[in-house]
Amino acid sequence: MAMNYLFDHEMIHEASVRTDTPVGRRDFLKLSGLAGAGLVIGMGFLDSTIANASKGSSAAEGLFEPSAFLKISNDGKIIVMSKNPEIGQGVKTSMPQIIAEELEVDWKLIEVQQGMLDDRFGDQFAGGSTGIKTNFNALRKAGAAAREMLVEAAARKWQVALNDCYAKEGFIYKKDSTDKLSYGALAEAASHLSIRENPKLKDPKDFKIIGMAIPGVDNRKIVTGTAEFGLDARPKGMLVACIERCPVYGGKVKHIDSTEALKVPGVQQVIKMDPSSNPTRIVAGVAVIAINTWSAMKARKALKIEWDFSDGEVESDENLKSQFEKNINGKGELLRDDGNVDEAFAKCKQVHEATFEAPFLAHTPMEPMNYTADVRPDGADVWGPTQVPESVRWLAADITGLAPDKINVRMTRAGGGFGRRLMADYACEAVYISKAIGKPVQVVWTREDDIQHDFYR
C-alpha cells in the first residue's frame, strides 16, 4: 500500500503543478474580507510569468492580484494568508511570522487567514516537518517585496531617494525628519509599482518576530470553541453519511437489507459503495445518508449486510508474527559494511542481546476522520482536515470526471494528523457519495472506524 500511495502522490503532484486555479477580484474580496483599494502581494512573485500576469486591470483598480497573497488595504488592515494545512504543528502562526518580519510590521496588526489550495502558493502539504524549511526564503521574499514597494511609494510621494526612507512597525519614515506614512496610506500608490523579484532581506541579527514565542493565532478560538475544524463545516443543505466498511481487506458487498435502517427518522438514503482499484481510496461498504449524525449512526447499526470475502485477505497476529520471524531470519540485503563487527563483539567485555517488537499502530488523532464535499455538474467544493490538499483535488477530479480547476479545496484546522491524514480515503468517500446523491454531504467516522480502518504505522 505504501508503494501505491507514493506512486499516486507523484502523479498527484504532477497534476497539481499543471493546473491553474484562478481567483478573481470579486472572489478574492470575499475571501479576504476586505473591500476597497489596496496592495496584494503574491507568494509566487518569483515566477516572472505570474508577476507579469498580475499586472493590468487590477493595478488600475488599485489592486495587485495574483491569487496567493499578502493584502494591505487602504484602511491599514493587513491580512496574511497561511498556505499550508494546520494540523497542530503551528504553521498558521509561524509562516505568517516570517512574512511579518520582512514586512516590518507590528505582529499585533496582522490578521491571519487560512488559504485555499492554490497552485501559486507552491506545494501545500503537511508532512515530514518540512513546512518552514522549504518555504522560509520564499515567505521572507514575499514580505520584503511588499516592504520595498511601500518604501518606493513613500519616496515618490516625498520626492526623495529610496535610501532616504525606511520601514518600521507599519510605517515608512523619512530620514532626518518627523515625516511618516502608514502602510494603509501608501497601499493604493504601492499597488501600481512593479514587484520586486529579488528584494533585499533583513540581517538575521535584526529579527524581531522570527524566533519569538508568539501565541497561536487560533488559540482563543480553540478554547472558546469557535475555531473551524472539519466537523464544523456546515454548507447549506448538507447531509451526513456514516459508512459500514467491509471488515476484511479486499472484500465486497454481496447483499444489503436496509429495511430497518430506512425506518430510522431522518434517514434519506442507503447506497452501496463499490471499491476502487486502489484500496487506499475507497473500500467496499454501505453508506447511510441522513439529516444528522445521530440518525446516520443509528441507522448504520440497523443494516444487515452479507459480505463476500472470497478475494479478501484475512490476517492475524500469529500470521504476522510468523512472517516477521521468517523475514528476520532470512538473508537480507547488505546496505552498509563499516568497520569490523566481529572484531568489535570479540573485544567487548559483555554483550547484551534483546529482541524488540512493535505492533502495527493506529494513528488515532483526536479528531476522527471526516470530510465534506459538494459535487455539482459544473464543479465541486470540498473541505476538511487533510495533510494533502493537492492529493484531494487530484483524487476528486478522478472520481467526478471534473477538471481539477473546477474543484475548490478549502482547508480547515485538523485535530491532529500524525501521518494518518497523508491518506485521502475519507475525502474520496465524501466526494463519491456527494456525486452519487447530488447533494452536499459530510462523511463522519466513529472512533471505532478510525482504529479498524486506519493505514497503520
Side-chain angles (χ1 to χ4, degrees):
M1 287 188 292
M3 292 186 67
N4 284 339
Y5 170 68
L6 291 171
F7 177 69
D8 280 349
H9 186 71
E10 293 300 320
M11 294 174 66
I12 290 161
H13 179 71
E14 293 252 342
S16 68
V17 297
R18 288 196 302 265
T19 305
D20 180 34
T21 308
V23 176
R25 181 174 185 270
R26 182 182 300 275
D27 293 329
F28 169 78
L29 294 175
K30 288 178 181 177
L31 289 170
S32 67
L34 293 169
L39 172 68
V40 185
I41 298 292
M43 303 296 188
F45 68 94
L46 293 178
D47 186 325
S48 59
T49 303
I50 293 173
N52 292 332
S54 302
K55 301 173 184 176
S57 60
S58 58
E61 298 169 0
L63 288 171
F64 171 64
E65 194 178 352
S67 64
F69 40 74
L70 156 70
K71 165 78 176 179
I72 302 175
S73 69
N74 54 13
D75 63 2
K77 190 172 185 180
I78 302 173
I79 284 182
V80 176
M81 305 304 293
S82 182
K83 77 184 196 70
N84 277 14
E86 175 59 83
I87 61 172
Q89 78 282 42
V91 293
K92 192 174 179 181
T93 303
S94 56
M95 284 186 166
Q97 269 185 266
I98 299 168
I99 297 172
E101 179 68 74
E102 292 289 351
L103 185 60
E104 280 289 358
V105 65
D106 187 336
W107 176 253
K108 295 177 182 177
L109 300 177
I110 296 287
E111 178 183 328
V112 177
Q113 294 183 3
Q114 178 64 60
M116 294 176 63
L117 178 64
D118 190 311
D119 294 326
R120 280 162 280 192
F121 276 125
D123 286 335
Q124 290 175 266
F125 68 93
S129 300
T130 61
I132 298 300
K133 178 173 67 176
T134 57
N135 290 284
F136 188 66
N137 287 333
L139 294 172
R140 288 184 67 190
K141 289 178 179 179
R147 182 190 72 235
E148 290 192 357
M149 293 170 73
L150 291 161
V151 167
E152 181 180 347
R156 289 176 178 239
K157 188 175 184 68
W158 287 324
Q159 296 184 335
V160 298
L162 288 174
N163 57 11
D164 286 332
C165 305
Y166 65 94
K168 183 180 179 180
E169 295 183 348
F171 288 87
I172 305 298
Y173 292 83
K174 183 163 66 173
K175 290 181 180 178
D176 303 321
S177 79
T178 58
D179 293 347
K180 67 178 182 178
L181 291 167
S182 71
Y183 285 1
L186 293 166
E188 167 71 19
S191 69
H192 296 278
L193 302 178
S194 299
I195 298 174
R196 303 297 188 278
E197 294 190 28
N198 293 291
K200 183 178 179 180
L201 302 180
K202 293 174 65 175
D203 189 318
K205 69 179 177 58
D206 297 325
F207 286 168
K208 300 173 185 176
I209 299 176
I210 291 176
M212 295 298 292
I214 293 176
V217 296
D218 284 343
N219 281 4
R220 180 174 292 276
K221 291 181 178 179
I222 290 171
V223 298
T224 57
T226 57
E228 185 189 34
F229 289 85
L231 288 170
D232 298 310
R234 291 290 187 272
K236 186 177 181 180
M238 184 195 83
L239 298 172
V240 176
C242 286
I243 304 168
E244 186 69 16
R245 298 167 187 83
C246 184
V248 170
Y249 189 78
K252 300 179 179 66
V253 176
K254 188 173 183 179
H255 178 72
I256 308 167
D257 182 351
S258 58
T259 305
E260 296 302 314
L262 290 169
K263 292 179 181 179
V264 175
V267 172
Q268 303 281 297
Q269 287 179 256
V270 173
I271 66 171
K272 174 185 173 184
M273 297 188 67
D274 295 318
S276 60
S277 57
N278 185 328
T280 65
R281 301 181 189 178
I282 296 172
V283 298
V286 180
V288 176
I289 300 99
I291 61 174
N292 56 50
T293 309
W294 177 254
S295 296
M297 288 183 175
K298 185 176 181 180
R300 185 177 74 164
K301 292 179 180 179
L303 288 171
K304 296 178 181 178
I305 306 171
E306 184 179 353
W307 301 101
D308 178 3
F309 297 150
S310 58
D311 295 325
E313 183 176 354
V314 180
E315 286 288 7
S316 66
D317 290 343
E318 293 76 16
N319 187 28
L320 290 172
K321 182 177 177 64
S322 174
Q323 291 179 51
F324 289 149
E325 290 176 346
K326 180 181 178 181
N327 292 338
I328 285 290
N329 295 322
K331 185 177 181 180
E333 178 185 355
L334 182 64
L335 300 178
R336 292 182 61 171
D337 189 9
D338 299 355
N340 190 322
V341 176
D342 294 332
E343 181 182 347
F345 274 99
K347 290 182 177 180
C348 289
K349 293 182 179 180
Q350 187 173 3
V351 176
H352 297 274
E353 294 187 9
T355 299
F356 296 90
E357 296 183 11
F360 281 130
L361 299 174
H363 298 82
T364 57
M366 184 175 292
E367 179 187 15
M369 301 303 106
N370 68 88
Y371 212 80
T372 303
D374 180 10
V375 178
R376 306 172 303 278
D378 60 344
D381 290 289
V382 298
W383 56 105
T386 179
Q387 294 177 241
V388 284
E390 293 171 329
S391 300
V392 170
R393 179 175 60 185
W394 186 84
L395 292 168
D398 188 51
I399 293 169
T400 62
L402 294 167
D405 64 350
K406 297 297 183 183
I407 298 169
N408 297 314
V409 182
R410 310 178 194 178
M411 288 176 274
T412 65
R413 287 190 68 98
F418 317 131
R420 173 60 180 94
R421 289 186 162 98
L422 288 171
M423 309 300 283
D425 52 308
Y426 54 98
C428 289
E429 291 175 341
V431 173
Y432 180 104
I433 296 171
S434 180
K435 179 187 178 186
I437 69 174
K439 296 177 182 178
V441 66
Q442 181 181 78
V443 167
V444 178
W445 290 40
T446 64
R447 175 61 69 207
E448 292 83 357
D449 294 335
D450 207 14
I451 293 174
Q452 184 176 5
H453 298 283
D454 196 355
F455 294 91
Y456 306 102
R457 295 173 69 102

